[in-house]
Amino acid sequence: MIRAGLSTLSRPIASSSSRSTSAVARRYASHGPSYNPPSGYLFGERPPKDGKRVKETWENIYYVGMFGGMALAAVIIAYKPDTSIQTWALKEARARLDAKGEEWEYKPKSA
């Protein structure tokens, strides 16, 4: 029973390998090979006759959104609160030493 199942499984594999070598059986997911020769222009855009490039409608929105977002992120990062453990520990140590009445500032001895 197992031998019969294995033989039926191996048949399509063997027969498909012989078919794939022919040129007719070769298939491309992109419907065949294609090649776009280079035009020499950036992004395929041809320069206009008057020399001024016309912006597309999305370009201004992109520039405002991108650079405005970067400026907003810079402001947020500049004014974010200091949440490091070192800052908290320094404030906590000062508060505890002040509560005990001990001095926590370094004062060099005068000679």
Side-chain angles (χ1 to χ4, degrees), residues 7-78:
S7 66
T8 58
L9 285 175
S10 63
R11 276 188 208 133
I13 295 170
S15 63
S16 68
S17 66
S18 64
R19 277 186 288 166
S20 66
T21 58
S22 67
V24 177
R26 176 172 278 164
R27 297 176 57 122
Y28 295 98
S30 61
H31 307 290
S34 64
Y35 173 70
N36 296 328
S39 64
Y41 298 108
L42 183 64
F43 305 120
E45 289 185 8
R46 296 188 184 270
K49 302 227 187 287
D50 61 352
K52 185 170 183 189
R53 184 178 166 273
V54 178
K55 285 188 178 181
E56 294 189 22
T57 56
W58 61 267
E59 288 185 68
N60 288 332
I61 297 168
Y62 175 81
Y63 295 141
V64 168
M66 181 61 72
F67 295 116
M70 282 193 260
L72 180 65
V75 168
I76 288 173
I77 289 172

Side-chain angles (χ1 to χ4, degrees), residues 13 37 61 65-66 82 97 102 104-105 108:
I13 295 170
I61 297 168
M66 181 61 72
D82 185 12
L97 288 173
E102 297 179 18
W104 52 269
E105 289 185 84

